[in-house]
Amino acid sequence: MWRIWKAAAAGGMAVALLTVTACGKDGASPSSSPSPTAKPKAQSTTNGNSARSLSQRGGGIIAQGTNEDAVIPIKVIGNTNYIPVSQLIQTLNYKSNWEDGHTKLQIGDNDANFELIMNTNKAVKDGAEIQLGQSVVQEGDNAYLPVSAVGDLFQDDMSFEVKNQELRIHPSTISTPPNEDAPDPAGTSPDLDFSDDPADPFRGDEDAEAAVPLLDQALPAWTDLGNDQVVPVLKNVNINAMIRKGKQYLGVKYRFGTGPYPKTGRFDCSTFTQYVYGKYGVSLPRVARQQGTRGNLVSRKSLRKGDLMFFYVPGRFKSNRTVGHVGIYIGNMRMLHASPEPKNGVQITNINKAYWKKTFLKAKRIVY
């Protein structure tokens, strides 16, 4: 069973990108499953000697009309401090999904960066298993994360502190357009403009025939030297043919945390790039953050067709340092990617907009 929980935009910010990359159990049609936790009611609290009006917004307790912290109350379970996972998900504007019979909770932006295994001390972050100090607890329909594990999993994604039996998440000071079509004077800076590399050998002629045979399955295409050094060993890829192949999937629906496309008929942002590159013998990791460690860095001023582009997903309480979305650059300020917005599914987007310019983190060249 699976169910996608779409997080409300924290601080009133509507995000144009996908919400977390955790989708449900693979299958053709969804069935409902319990939520990570019930929606809390509005409440008030006291800070020192002055009372302030609070509401439950985006899952965390946020002071109305202020730039104050989001506050998630701590619950003691068996002498251990826990927080309700759903409030963290909503506060960080993440997506989530239950799978494997409601025993695994996937969390992320546009793909599943995190997995919590219920009633165990096992978790997954960016594809790597983590042993937590205490177990994740499931009580009925609710999932609770030990406070001691918050930093292990989310220290790169938010700024926070534990105080007075509360987890206080500090708001981001980064100003980002609320959606990809919103104007932003800061986004007109020439320093943020994207540019094509005039020396790109695959400029134009997108309908050129493939120079190498199309593969039914991905082949190993990397030599791992350790210490995060990865050297591409496959270079003879016709980028125009690869882009043309990717366009064949335009309109295929998005599903957070989805499994392999041949099984599910769906993509999230990173399974799409993984699948398209895999068709040409290039093996990429499962999630966007891992894919961002591959290849060579490329300037936004020297983009070539086939480069992977990585972006953060903005939110009032989120970091602007972590990869939350990935797409394939196809030239002329356009990106081919899988996203739930503004359309639902594989689509082509004009990135010559303030939103994409300001959320851009890096580009990586995987093939040549």
Side-chain angles (χ1 to χ4, degrees):
M1 299 190 305
W2 62 273
R3 182 175 182 177
I4 298 176
W5 280 84
K6 186 172 184 180
M13 179 175 290
V15 179
L17 295 175
L18 320 171
T19 43
V20 236
T21 190
C23 15
K25 190 174 181 64
D26 299 332
S29 60
S31 59
S32 61
S33 64
S35 65
T37 189
K39 291 183 179 180
K41 297 180 180 179
Q43 56 179 289
S44 62
T45 188
T46 301
N47 184 8
N49 296 323
S50 61
R52 52 194 173 95
S53 174
L54 300 177
S55 68
Q56 290 289 349
R57 191 174 185 183
I61 306 174
I62 303 172
Q64 293 281 15
T66 73
N67 197 35
E68 297 185 22
D69 296 343
V71 180
I72 299 179
I74 291 173
K75 177 178 179 177
V76 178
I77 304 175
N79 297 320
T80 299
N81 290 333
Y82 285 85
I83 60 167
V85 177
S86 68
Q87 289 193 28
L88 182 65
I89 289 171
Q90 294 175 354
T91 300
L92 296 183
N93 194 29
Y94 275 149
K95 293 181 177 72
S96 65
N97 174 71
W98 286 103
E99 68 167 18
D100 292 350
H102 208 65
T103 63
K104 180 190 296 183
L105 180 61
Q106 295 178 314
I107 304 170
D109 281 305
N110 292 324
D111 57 4
N113 299 110
F114 310 97
E115 292 182 355
L116 304 179
I117 314 301
M118 297 299 104
N119 303 313
T120 75
N121 66 341
K122 295 180 180 180
V124 177
K125 177 181 179 180
D126 300 339
E129 184 172 302
I130 295 178
Q131 295 292 323
L132 307 178
Q134 288 88 25
S135 295
V136 178
V137 171
Q138 184 177 21
E139 290 189 346
D141 296 342
N142 303 329
Y144 293 90
L145 179 69
V147 173
S148 62
V150 173
D152 295 334
L153 294 170
F154 299 101
Q155 63 181 349
D156 297 327
D157 294 71
M158 64 182 184
S159 174
F160 69 95
E161 64 179 328
V162 177
K163 186 176 181 180
N164 300 328
Q165 282 301 103
E166 296 173 332
L167 181 73
R168 306 185 68 89
I169 304 176
H170 308 313
S172 169
T173 59
I174 302 300
S175 174
T176 307
N179 61 67
E180 70 172 58
D181 292 317
D184 184 354
T188 62
S189 169
D191 293 335
L192 298 181
D193 288 346
F194 297 112
S195 300
D196 289 325
D197 181 357
D200 184 355
F202 291 99
R203 291 188 71 183
D205 195 19
E206 293 182 8
D207 294 326
E209 293 298 323
V212 294
L214 189 64
L215 303 173
D216 292 330
Q217 296 180 344
L219 297 177
W222 300 94
T223 300
D224 193 344
L225 303 181
N227 299 320
D228 295 327
Q229 298 182 48
V230 182
V231 178
V233 296
L234 180 68
K235 297 183 179 180
N236 188 23
V237 172
N238 186 310
I239 303 299
N240 285 328
M242 186 175 73
I243 290 174
R244 188 178 70 249
K245 184 65 180 178
K247 287 181 178 180
Q248 293 180 7
Y249 301 97
L250 286 170
V252 172
K253 299 302 182 184
Y254 167 90
R255 179 186 292 170
F256 174 79
T258 188
Y261 173 75
K263 180 179 178 181
T264 67
R266 298 290 186 269
F267 290 116
D268 62 20
C269 69
S270 56
T271 58
F272 177 67
T273 53
Q274 183 187 52
Y275 186 77
V276 172
Y277 272 87
K279 284 289 186 179
Y280 288 84
V282 180
S283 179
L284 293 179
R286 167 61 181 85
V287 297
R289 293 189 190 185
Q290 291 175 292
Q291 292 179 9
T293 66
R294 301 301 198 250
N296 298 323
L297 278 171
V298 178
S299 168
R300 67 168 73 211
K301 302 294 187 180
S302 300
L303 296 173
R304 290 187 178 186
K305 295 165 72 172
D307 289 345
L308 289 180
M309 303 190 74
F310 298 90
F311 304 85
Y312 72 87
V313 178
R316 185 181 175 195
F317 297 97
K318 295 172 73 172
S319 165
N320 69 326
R321 301 184 302 272
T322 58
V323 170
H325 188 61
V326 61
I328 302 173
Y329 187 64
I330 61 173
N332 298 321
M333 304 301 106
R334 296 173 302 153
M335 176 174 65
L336 179 65
H337 62 134
S339 172
E341 298 179 19
K343 301 175 183 178
N344 182 349
V346 178
Q347 57 198 282
I348 294 174
T349 293
N350 177 6
I351 60 171
N352 193 27
K353 299 178 180 179
Y355 179 90
W356 296 105
K357 292 178 182 180
K358 296 186 72 174
T359 59
F360 175 76
L361 290 175
K362 59 187 174 182
K364 300 298 283 288
R365 189 155 298 155
I366 308 299
V367 291
Y368 299 84

